[in-house]
Amino acid sequence: MDSSIQPNLLNSFLIVYFYKIENELNNTKNGLETIKFQSEEANTDEFLKRYFQDFLTIHNNVKDIKLKKLAVKIDSEEHIINIEKLKSYRISNVLLPEHLTNEQKKEITASKKSVYTSPDLYLEITDGTNIYFESVELKSTKDNNIPGSSVQQVSPFEWVIFVKRDNEKVLVTTGFYINSITEKLPFPDRSPRPQIGFKTLSDWNKKYRKVENEVLTIENITEINNDKIKLLTDWQDYLASEWLEIIKSEQGRNNEKWFNNAIRKFALKFLEFSETLTESEKENLKTNLTKLIK
C-alpha cells in the first residue's frame, strides 16, 4: 500500500473489522490477562500469536456490527462505503509464520522491499469469490513506548494489534503501523528501530477515528504520513537534524542521552578543524563528504 488509505472494499472491511475487534477485546472479558508474554527467557510473543490466531478465526467478520456506513477521509476527499457491502468479507484463515508457503514468503518480501521477515500473523480473507492476504504485526508493552521494527522491515500501512498490559488490566488498540510511530529514533546500535507507542496509536485513533450516528469515520492526513515516512526512508537525515538541534541548544535537557556529549565534543573538534581550512579546502571537504554519503 502507498502513503494513503486506499478506499476499496477490502481495506474498508479491514478498517471496520479492526475497529470491531478492538472494541470487543476492550469491553468484554477476553482472557488476555492470562496470556504468558514470555517463552522461556525470550519475549517472543509466541503465546500472544496463538491467542490472536484463535480469536481472529472465531471473530472473523463484521456482520453483527452496529454501524451503517464507513466514511474514509483522505485530506479533502471523502469516500462513503455502505457497511452492507462489507458483510460478505470474512477472515477464512489465520496463518502463523511457520505455516507460510515459499510463494507467500516471496509476496511478503516484495511488499516490504527488503529481505524476508516473518509477519506475526498472515490473514487469508475472502469476499465469497476472491482470496486476499494481509499481514499483521503484534506488539506488546508493559509501559508505553518500545523499539519498533528496523527501518528496512517497516511497512507503514501494515495493520498492527498493540497490547498494553499491567497488573490490573490489558488494553488493545489497532491501526496502521505508521500511526504508532512516535517520531523518535533512538541512537542506533545496529539497524535503526524507530520508536512506537501504544499511547501514540491510541491517541491517533481518538483524534482521527470516530463514530457518530452509526457512521465510522477515519481520516488520513497525507502531510502527517509523509513526515513519518521520511523518518523511515531517510533516517540518516532525520538523525542528523536531531543532532544539529542538540548542538544548537543553549541548555542541557532532562534525561540526556549518553551520546549527546559525544556529539557536542565532535562538534567542537570539527569547528576547530574547520577554522584551519581555507575557503577552497572547505568546499573540497563539502564535495568529498557529499560524494561519500550512500
Side-chain angles (χ1 to χ4, degrees):
M1 188 181 291
D2 63 20
S3 59
S4 64
I5 300 173
Q6 301 300 306
N8 58 43
L9 289 180
L10 173 61
N11 291 331
S12 297
F13 164 73
L14 290 168
I15 290 168
V16 175
Y17 176 74
F18 280 104
Y19 168 79
K20 173 195 167 182
I21 65 161
E22 177 183 319
N23 277 275
E24 287 189 5
L25 287 164
N26 287 330
N27 294 301
T28 61
K29 190 170 179 59
N30 52 58
L32 268 172
E33 70 280 358
T34 67
I35 298 298
K36 286 178 62 177
F37 284 86
Q38 290 186 331
S39 176
E40 296 179 346
E41 295 188 10
N43 188 8
T44 63
D45 285 349
E46 172 189 351
F47 299 102
L48 196 63
K49 291 177 188 176
R50 293 178 187 173
Y51 173 92
F52 276 104
Q53 181 186 36
D54 292 340
F55 185 88
L56 301 185
T57 300
I58 296 169
H59 304 81
N60 62 5
N61 61 67
V62 298
K63 290 181 179 179
D64 59 347
I65 198 164
K66 292 179 173 58
L67 294 172
K68 292 183 178 179
K69 294 180 180 180
L70 167 69
V72 179
K73 293 183 179 180
I74 304 175
D75 296 328
S76 60
E77 296 181 11
E78 183 175 56
H79 303 266
I80 305 295
I81 297 94
N82 193 316
I83 296 295
E84 282 299 320
K85 292 184 178 180
L86 309 179
K87 292 187 176 180
S88 62
Y89 286 79
R90 66 181 177 86
I91 309 296
S92 52
N93 201 0
V94 181
L95 303 172
L96 297 179
E98 57 267 30
H99 300 147
L100 298 179
T101 65
N102 288 332
E103 187 61 34
Q104 289 168 335
K105 291 178 181 179
K106 288 179 183 177
E107 291 177 4
I108 293 167
T109 301
S111 69
K112 288 179 177 288
K113 298 180 181 178
S114 68
V115 297
Y116 174 74
T117 52
S118 299
D120 292 322
L121 301 172
Y122 201 51
L123 307 185
E124 180 181 291
I125 305 163
T126 181
D127 60 4
T129 304
N130 304 297
I131 300 292
Y132 310 93
F133 292 94
E134 193 81 18
S135 60
V136 178
E137 282 285 304
L138 291 178
K139 299 295 183 185
S140 65
T141 179
K142 290 182 179 179
D143 301 308
N144 181 42
N145 297 333
I146 59 172
S149 304
S150 69
V151 289
Q152 296 94 335
Q153 297 171 359
V154 171
S155 294
F157 291 90
E158 186 173 28
W159 285 95
V160 60
I161 300 174
F162 214 140
V163 179
K164 183 174 185 289
R165 61 196 191 278
D166 57 32
N167 294 331
E168 297 180 1
K169 57 185 176 181
V170 179
L171 293 175
V172 174
T173 190
T174 63
F176 290 130
Y177 192 99
I178 191 171
N179 296 326
S180 71
I181 296 175
T182 66
E183 299 189 62
K184 290 187 178 180
L185 187 61
F187 188 89
D189 55 351
R190 291 171 300 209
S191 181
R193 300 177 66 190
Q195 187 182 80
I196 59 175
F198 178 92
K199 188 175 185 297
T200 302
L201 180 56
S202 181
D203 287 348
W204 189 94
N205 284 336
K206 289 175 184 176
K207 187 171 183 179
Y208 297 109
R209 190 190 66 182
K210 298 177 181 177
V211 173
E212 188 175 353
N213 298 325
E214 297 185 310
V215 176
L216 171 61
T217 299
I218 187 166
E219 291 187 62
N220 182 61
I221 314 290
T222 301
E223 184 178 353
I224 296 174
N225 292 339
N226 287 344
D227 287 343
K228 293 189 176 184
I229 288 172
K230 182 180 179 182
L231 183 152
L232 300 174
T233 57
D234 196 355
W235 58 269
Q236 292 171 329
D237 184 76
Y238 189 94
L239 278 178
S241 297
E242 186 177 89
W243 295 344
L244 182 59
E245 291 304 312
I246 292 169
I247 293 169
K248 289 161 59 178
S249 177
E250 296 181 0
Q251 292 183 325
R253 303 179 181 182
N254 293 330
N255 301 317
E256 287 259 298
K257 297 174 181 176
W258 65 265
F259 53 81
N260 284 10
N261 280 337
I263 291 169
R264 293 181 180 112
K265 288 185 177 184
F266 167 76
L268 286 170
K269 288 181 181 294
F270 184 77
L271 286 172
E272 290 170 0
F273 167 68
S274 65
E275 287 172 358
T276 68
L277 301 177
T278 65
E279 289 302 317
S280 176
E281 288 171 332
K282 287 179 182 178
E283 286 301 318
N284 288 338
L285 177 60
K286 188 184 296 183
T287 300
N288 192 47
L289 287 172
T290 302
K291 285 195 302 184
L292 290 173
I293 293 173
K294 297 178 181 180

